[in-house]
Amino acid sequence: MIKLYKKYLKEVLSFMNNRIMQKEIVTDSLGSLNSQIKLNQPVKEFLVLQQVYEAGIKEIRTKLEILDDEFKIKHDHNPIHHMEYRLKSLDSIVNKLKKRNLEVSLESMVENLTDIAGVRVICNYVSDVYRIAELLVKQSDIKLIQKKDYIKHPKENGYRSLHLVVEVPIFLAERVQPIAVEIQIRTIAMDFWASLEHHLRYKSDSEVPDGVRDELIECAKTISHLDYKMQGIHEELNKSKKRIKSS
């Protein structure tokens, strides 16, 4: 089956790989792809499923945008600084299934992988991270599958972020299909550290020396301290604003 996908999806893979962590998702119609590539049935089924995962991202994106807009009106504050989105490439999907010694099939992909559709939410303050997560998961059509709090319990390398896997229903023409979407919620400062740490680690030709690893962990702690300090300043300014309004 792997050879089958590789044979028919050379151009489609290029199309998908360009989508990773995009700011916007551009949906190409299946008809347009059909006119460029002669697709067999398994490939068509994959593309249809891919569009469903795209819909999952759009559903989560819309919900978060609505919450952010509501906060701006009610509290004069946007908790979300910006959002990023990505669909896992076919190569990554196949490699992950093989690494776990799982069957490489569409059914196995849906059943075993929860990070095919991904949304990254960058918030201004730590309190915004938890507020947005709480408001999202309490919505009646959202089912929380998994939660990992790397802010309260950072990874050994210093990484901090709140990870959620949620299930959202996608209403299609003839059925409703639940889709898992992975959501990473972090502050601007956490995202700054994570992006640079990732860049430094993958640019290094050899294993990162212990001294450098310790420096990165120390930087993560410093950035975390800065996060809470900035939040404290934000809260103090809000209190002053409220006192002025009430006087």
Side-chain angles (χ1 to χ4, degrees), residues 63 67 70-71 74 130-144 164 166:
K63 287 175 176 294
L67 288 172
E70 182 186 11
F71 256 79
K74 287 186 174 181
Y130 290 107
R131 187 177 294 114
I132 285 295
E134 179 186 3
L135 292 172
L136 179 66
V137 300
K138 77 176 186 180
Q139 294 187 9
S140 60
D141 58 343
I142 293 289
K143 180 180 179 182
L144 180 63
L164 307 175
V166 302

Side-chain angles (χ1 to χ4, degrees), residues 40-157:
N40 65 353
Q41 191 58 32
V43 172
K44 287 181 182 179
E45 290 175 0
F46 177 84
L47 290 175
V48 169
L49 189 57
Q50 182 199 37
Q51 289 180 328
V52 177
Y53 276 102
E54 280 185 355
I57 290 176
K58 290 175 182 177
E59 285 280 352
I60 295 299
R61 169 184 173 177
T62 301
K63 287 175 176 294
L64 291 170
E65 286 176 346
I66 291 171
L67 288 172
D68 192 52
D69 290 343
E70 182 186 11
F71 256 79
K72 177 62 179 175
I73 298 298
K74 287 186 174 181
H75 307 291
D76 194 27
H77 169 63
N78 289 102
I80 298 176
H81 184 270
H82 70 276
M83 291 187 281
E84 301 171 352
Y85 322 90
R86 71 109 176 92
L87 278 171
K88 209 172 191 66
S89 71
L90 181 60
D91 272 340
S92 296
I93 290 170
V94 170
N95 290 337
K96 194 161 189 177
L97 289 173
K98 290 170 67 179
K99 187 176 180 180
R100 295 185 181 180
N101 295 316
L102 297 169
E103 178 188 0
V104 179
S105 67
L106 296 181
E107 293 77 10
S108 178
M109 178 183 86
V110 173
E111 183 179 344
N112 296 295
L113 302 184
T114 58
D115 62 345
I116 295 171
V119 178
R120 182 173 294 162
V121 185
I122 313 302
C123 294
N124 292 297
Y125 305 104
V126 177
S127 58
D128 293 334
V129 171
Y130 290 107
R131 187 177 294 114
I132 285 295
E134 179 186 3
L135 292 172
L136 179 66
V137 300
K138 77 176 186 180
Q139 294 187 9
S140 60
D141 58 343
I142 293 289
K143 180 180 179 182
L144 180 63
I145 304 299
Q146 187 181 80
K147 177 180 178 180
K148 292 183 179 179
D149 192 339
Y150 297 118
I151 298 176
K152 292 180 180 176
H153 307 285
K155 290 187 177 182
E156 288 184 3
N157 67 347

Side-chain angles (χ1 to χ4, degrees), residues 198-206:
H198 178 85
H199 177 77
L200 292 170
R201 184 156 41 90
Y202 280 90
K203 279 290 183 180
S204 177
D205 294 330
S206 56

Side-chain angles (χ1 to χ4, degrees), residues 6 43 54 63 104 157 176 181 184 193 206 211 224 230 233:
K6 294 294 183 181
V43 172
E54 280 185 355
K63 287 175 176 294
V104 179
N157 67 347
V176 178
V181 180
Q184 298 177 0
W193 182 92
S206 56
S224 178
M230 293 300 290
I233 294 171

Side-chain angles (χ1 to χ4, degrees), residues 2-19:
I2 298 172
K3 291 181 179 178
L4 185 64
Y5 277 119
K6 294 294 183 181
K7 179 180 178 181
Y8 288 96
L9 274 182
K10 186 177 181 180
E11 290 186 42
V12 179
L13 273 172
S14 175
F15 159 76
M16 290 172 60
N17 286 332
N18 288 333
R19 296 179 172 205

